[in-house]
Amino acid sequence: LATAFGVGAYVQTLTSYNEQLRIEQQHAAATQAFLVDVLSSPDPFRPADPDLGSNITVVEALDLGVRRLETELVDDPELRASVLVSIAQVYASLDRHEQAIALREEALAIEREVYGVPSEPVLASLRMLAGEYLKLDDYETAASYTGQQLSFARELYSHGAPIIGAAEAAAADVAARVGNFDESRNLYERGIEKMRRSPDAYAQELIDALTSLARQLEFDEPETAFTLLAEAQRHTQTLFGPESLQMAQVQTILASAYSATRQFENAEREFLTIIQIFEAELGRDHGETLAAITELGILYNRMELPEKAEVVYSESLERYRRKYGENHRKVADAYQNLATALSRVERYEQSIPMHEKAYELYKEILPKDQPIVSYPLLSKSFAEVNDGRFD
């Protein structure tokens, strides 16, 4: 009887699993069909928007898809959430973070209702949203979401599960951004150890964690940093290919490590190549492009080439202001970097107000106890001393 009951329970479990798999496959197919329809909008024989016709861009097609969602899929919340997640991810990749957040927040609300809290879909949305809020300098919301997703992951899965590692790496990102580097390193190391058990399932999360930790260690522990980057390159080449944008992202961190260890020729060669790739594939004002340009300016400062650094930093400041407006962490960084380059060519009168601008922005944007808030004060003082403003 016990054996018969066990077999019966097994068959019931297997049937339930197969039904869940069938539903997931149906939703995946329906999501794909919706997105294919949206992205076929440029078809001149059946344009989705008669006014734009075949000249519609990818972003305009996605915007059109979002407008369609106002009236479609309202009776199928699971499918609606799946479509919202997919479109949000594309918006995020296109550097349209506010739109990505709006859609993923809507998906998260549906997922909480449909799947419950905690659940794997909720966990994935919290993790993605935390990263998007970080890009908008909303550290408080990012920290709240990473705290929730880490708590849910530990509640749902066994101690060594790779998904907990992904959650720990996401929490490490936030800790690093607010200056808690010891906590960040600990979380990265624990997360990497777990994700290594299933590198295919968490490929991008593992690569991001490896490169982020390498970036933290490039000055104090360069050998460890280069070892982590070599591992990131192996995973990237296997999963995405040597010519992929993912590999270019890894090469950006490698170039930074070359710069930090004064391998200047290697660093400059890598940065110039990477910038060309990002500009061609992502555009001149994409976040990845601008980050690489900023790193090139840092390199020129280290090479004692302040005139070159000034040209690069002036360009990056102009692009960041055009992209984000005035009140953004990246704009503050750009002011600080350009001011430092100006001080190096003894143009102190010009540099001082830029340091002041960076300081005011940092004070407004960052947590008060983050060390970087003090950097503009130190470099401004250096400029004032050299300009004879001793008081």
Side-chain angles (χ1 to χ4, degrees):
L1 180 61
T3 301
F5 177 81
V7 171
Y10 172 75
V11 170
Q12 184 177 6
T13 301
L14 187 60
T15 301
S16 175
Y17 172 78
N18 287 334
E19 177 64 13
Q20 181 62 33
L21 185 61
R22 184 186 65 80
I23 293 170
E24 289 177 2
Q25 289 172 338
Q26 283 181 339
H27 282 142
T31 300
Q32 184 182 39
F34 182 91
L35 293 176
V36 167
D37 189 42
V38 166
L39 294 174
S40 68
S41 299
D43 186 340
F45 291 99
R46 54 184 189 93
D49 188 318
D51 295 328
L52 293 170
S54 61
N55 295 319
I56 191 169
T57 66
V58 171
V59 171
E60 288 167 338
L62 290 172
D63 292 344
L64 186 62
V66 173
R67 290 198 296 275
R68 282 178 51 179
L69 284 174
E70 293 174 3
T71 56
E72 296 182 28
L73 308 183
V74 291
D75 296 326
D76 191 338
E78 292 180 357
L79 177 55
R80 183 179 180 83
S82 178
V83 172
L84 287 167
V85 165
S86 296
I87 297 179
Q89 192 60 55
V90 179
Y91 273 135
S93 296
L94 293 172
D95 234 14
R96 294 178 175 264
H97 305 296
E98 292 90 348
Q99 289 154 297
I101 285 172
L103 295 186
R104 198 66 185 251
E105 286 282 14
E106 184 180 346
L108 176 61
I110 296 171
E111 289 162 346
R112 288 182 188 273
E113 183 72 24
V114 171
Y115 301 110
V117 180
S119 62
E120 188 166 340
V122 167
L123 187 64
S125 286
L126 288 169
R127 191 165 64 240
M128 184 267 192
L129 280 164
E132 290 301 293
Y133 278 114
L134 272 185
K135 292 181 176 72
L136 297 183
D137 295 326
D138 187 344
Y139 300 102
E140 185 176 349
T141 304
S144 171
Y145 279 21
T146 54
Q148 289 179 55
Q149 58 99 36
L150 184 53
S151 175
F152 293 162
R154 288 170 173 166
E155 184 177 340
L156 282 170
Y157 299 96
S158 60
H159 173 71
I163 195 169
I164 296 179
E168 287 171 334
D173 288 342
V174 177
R177 289 290 290 273
V178 298
N180 297 331
F181 296 113
D182 289 341
E183 178 188 355
S184 174
R185 177 175 183 173
N186 182 263
L187 284 166
Y188 274 135
E189 288 176 341
R190 285 156 49 190
I192 288 168
E193 180 186 1
K194 293 178 179 69
M195 287 189 288
R196 280 173 175 153
R197 299 168 188 171
S198 185
D200 292 353
Y202 297 93
Q204 193 61 62
E205 291 89 345
L206 175 57
I207 292 165
D208 289 345
L210 289 165
T211 54
S212 296
L213 181 55
R215 188 67 193 269
Q216 282 190 27
L217 302 179
E218 62 187 15
F219 284 106
D220 296 332
E221 300 178 40
E223 289 186 11
T224 303
F226 281 113
T227 299
L228 292 168
L229 288 170
E231 182 180 351
Q233 286 177 303
R234 290 195 301 274
H235 290 305
T236 305
Q237 179 153 335
T238 299
L239 296 165
F240 301 109
E243 305 299 324
S244 62
L245 281 171
Q246 288 89 344
M247 182 62 82
Q249 290 175 313
V250 175
Q251 295 300 107
T252 303
I253 310 302
L254 178 62
S256 173
Y258 282 142
S259 174
T261 53
R262 306 188 68 79
Q263 300 179 56
F264 295 142
E265 186 176 336
N266 289 340
E268 184 179 27
R269 182 185 66 250
E270 292 285 348
F271 279 132
L272 292 174
T273 300
I274 291 158
I275 290 167
Q276 284 186 327
I277 292 170
F278 284 152
E279 286 187 337
E281 298 293 329
L282 300 173
R284 288 170 53 82
D285 292 334
H286 193 279
E288 295 287 352
T289 308
L290 293 174
I293 290 171
T294 299
E295 290 290 343
L296 179 63
I298 293 171
L299 170 66
Y300 285 143
N301 261 340
R302 289 176 182 156
M303 294 173 71
E304 303 294 334
L305 298 173
E307 292 85 359
K308 279 192 169 186
E310 181 191 348
V311 171
V312 172
Y313 285 144
S314 295
E315 181 180 357
S316 66
L317 174 59
E318 180 183 345
R319 292 199 202 179
Y320 274 128
R321 291 176 69 187
R322 182 168 63 243
K323 181 180 179 67
Y324 294 119
E326 196 70 18
N327 190 32
H328 194 277
R329 162 69 185 272
K330 296 293 186 183
V331 175
D333 291 341
Y335 273 118
Q336 173 67 4
N337 288 332
L338 179 55
T340 301
L342 291 171
S343 285
R344 291 197 172 199
V345 291
E346 301 182 3
R347 288 158 61 186
Y348 304 115
E349 190 172 349
Q350 287 178 269
S351 74
I352 289 168
M354 289 189 176
H355 286 308
E356 290 171 347
K357 182 68 175 177
Y359 175 61
E360 292 303 321
L361 287 173
Y362 281 149
K363 274 203 309 181
E364 185 174 348
I365 294 167
L366 299 176
K368 293 179 181 178
D369 58 349
Q370 185 163 354
I372 199 170
V373 176
S374 69
Y375 290 4
L377 294 179
L378 295 169
S379 46
K380 174 175 173 273
S381 300
F382 171 84
E384 287 171 337
V385 166
N386 283 278
D387 200 39
R389 306 184 193 185
F390 301 114
D391 289 345

